[in-house]
C-alpha cells in the first residue's frame, strides 16, 4: 500500500519530472515525503516517442544536466556512451535517455513511486487531492511535469501521419507512401527531420507549407540568438543546404498565404504537422485550463508547473523573448523557481 499523504507530489517522469525530484531532494525535502506519479517511469516521451530524434542540444549541455543534481548520483553511474562523445556535437536523444533511465531508477529507490496517471486535481483545506486511475491521495504541494503532445491542424480531408512516425525513418518506411503527395506544415527543428525522411521514401512529391522565413540559432559570447526557436545542429545544416539553398527534387515549398495554398493542399494524400506542442490536459474544475506564471512557475497555491508544458521565459540581450525548452533549461528553471515554491505552498 502506498502512503495517502505527501508533502510534495511530482506528476510526470520525463526529464522535467526527473529534475524536479532531484532538486527537491537537493533542497532538503525527505525522499519519503515525495510522491512521484507516472504511468511508465520510462523518461516520458523523451525516452519513448522521440529517442531516435537528433537533438538540438549539444552533448555538453546534456552532461551539465546529468551532473547538476547531487541526488542524481551520476558521477557514480556506469560509463554511458554519452561520456565518450564530443561535448560540442549533438547526438540522438536515445543516447541521453539511457543515463536518464538509470537516474530514474536511483531516484525511484528513494521516493514513493506510483505507477498510474493523474486524472484530476482539487484544492480543499489547503491540501491538494490527486485523483489517479487507481487511487486517491493528498499532497501539500504538487508539481506538474506532464509534458506536451504534438499540435495538429484541422485539415480532415488528408490522412495524418503522426509526428512520432514521421521522425522515425523505420516507422515511416512501414507507411504506404508509394506515389503519394505529402504535405508538411511547419519550419521547425522537427520539420527538418521529417522532410529528409519523407524524401527518402517513394513519394511523388512533398509540399512544405510554412508561415515565416527559417530562423537559425547563432552563438555569441555568453548567449545564443534564437536559442529556443532557431534551427541547430544537423537540422540547421540540412535546411541551409536544401531550403535556403537549392530545393531537392520532389520538394516544393508554399507560404500559407499563397493563392495556390488550397489547390496544393487538395493534391495531398497525407499530412504531417510539425507546428509545435500543446500541454497535456489534467482536469482541475476549480480553474479550468491550467496556466502558469512563466517567470516563477506558479499555477495556483501549492501547484506549480515545469518543463515543456510550463516552460520558463527569458529575454535575450537584444530584448527578444522566448520560452525556454531543453533539459539544461528545465534545470535552470527549477533553480530559479524552487526557492519560491518552497515558500509558496498551499
Amino acid at each position: 500500500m502506498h502512503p495517502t499523504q505527501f508533502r510534495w507530489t511530482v506528476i510526470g517522469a520525463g526529464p522535467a519530472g526527473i529534475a524536479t525530484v532531484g532538486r527537491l531532494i537537493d533542497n532538503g525535502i525527505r525522499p519519503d515525503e515525495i510522491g512521484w506519479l507516472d504511468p511508465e517511469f520510462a523518461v516520458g516521451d523523451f525516452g519513448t516517442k522521440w529517442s531516435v530524434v537528433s537533438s538540438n542540444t549539444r552533448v555538453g549541455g546534456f552532461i551539465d544536466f546529468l551532473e547538476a543534481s547531487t541526488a542524481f548520483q551520476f558521477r557514480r553511474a556506469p560509463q554511458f556512451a554519452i561520456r565518450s562523445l564530443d561535448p560540442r556535437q549533438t547526438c540522438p536523444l536515445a543516447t541521453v535517455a539511457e543515463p536518464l533511465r538509470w537516474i530514474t531508477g536511483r531516484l525511484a529507490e528513494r521516493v514513493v513511486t506510483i505507477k498510474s496517471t493523474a486524472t484530476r486535481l482539487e484544492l480543499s483545506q489547503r491540501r491538494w487531492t490527486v485523483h489517479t486511475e487507481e487511487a486517491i491521495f493528498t499532497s501539500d504541494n504538487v508539481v506538474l511535469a506532464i509534458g506536451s503532445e504534438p499540435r495538429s491542424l484541422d485539415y480532415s480531408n488528408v490522412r495524418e501521419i503522426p509526428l512520432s512516425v514521421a521522425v522515425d525513418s523505420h516507422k515511416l518506411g512501414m507507411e504506404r507512401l508509394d506515389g503519394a503527395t505529402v504535405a508538411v506544415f511547419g519550419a521547425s527543428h522537427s520539420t527538418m527531420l521529417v522532410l529528409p525522411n519523407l524524401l527518402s521514401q517513394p513519394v511523388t512529391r512533398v509540399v512544405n507549407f510554412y508561415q515565416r522565413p527559417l530562423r537559425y540559432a547563432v552563438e555569441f559570447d555568453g548567449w545564443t540568438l534564437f536559442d529556443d526557436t532557431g534551427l541547430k545542429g544537423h537540422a540547421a545544416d540540412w535546411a541551409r543546404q536544401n531550403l535556403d539553398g537549392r530545393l531537392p527534387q520532389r520538394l516544393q515549398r508554399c507560404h500559407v498565404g499563397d493563392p495556390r495554398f488550397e489547390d496544393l493542399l487538395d493534391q495531398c494524400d497525407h499530412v504531417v504537422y510539425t507546428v509545435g506542442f500543446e500541454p497535456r490536459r489534467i482536469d482541475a474544475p476549480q480553474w479550468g485550463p491550467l496556466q502558469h506564471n512563466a517567470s516563477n512557475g506558479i499555477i495556483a497555491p501549492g501547484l506549480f508547473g515545469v518543463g515543456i508544458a510550463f516552460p520558463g521565459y527569458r529575454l535575450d540581450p537584444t530584448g527578444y523573448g522566448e520560452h525556454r525548452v531543453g533539459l539544461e533549461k528545465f534545470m535552470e528553471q527549477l533553480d530559479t523557481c524552487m526557492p519560491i515554491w518552497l515558500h509558496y505552498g498551499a
Side-chain angles (χ1 to χ4, degrees), residues 145-167:
I146 54 180
S148 295
E149 296 280 3
R151 184 179 292 119
S152 292
L153 303 176
D154 187 21
Y155 294 107
S156 56
N157 58 323
V158 283
R159 176 182 173 272
E160 181 178 354
I161 300 173
L163 180 59
S164 59
V165 172
V167 297

Side-chain angles (χ1 to χ4, degrees), residues 14-79:
I18 293 168
T20 302
V21 173
R23 274 294 185 249
L24 284 171
I25 296 173
D26 291 344
N27 277 275
I29 305 300
R30 284 184 7 218
D32 62 356
E33 296 181 315
I34 300 172
W36 195 10
L37 179 66
D38 190 88
E40 297 179 330
F41 289 95
V43 197
D45 291 344
F46 188 99
T48 54
K49 288 184 179 180
W50 314 121
S51 60
V52 301
V53 171
S54 175
S55 72
N56 60 0
T57 297
R58 292 181 176 180
V59 168
F62 288 130
I63 293 291
D64 288 344
F65 176 90
L66 295 170
E67 295 182 344
S69 169
T70 303
F72 286 176
Q73 306 176 59
F74 187 65
R75 295 185 185 278
R76 291 189 279 169
Q79 187 66 22

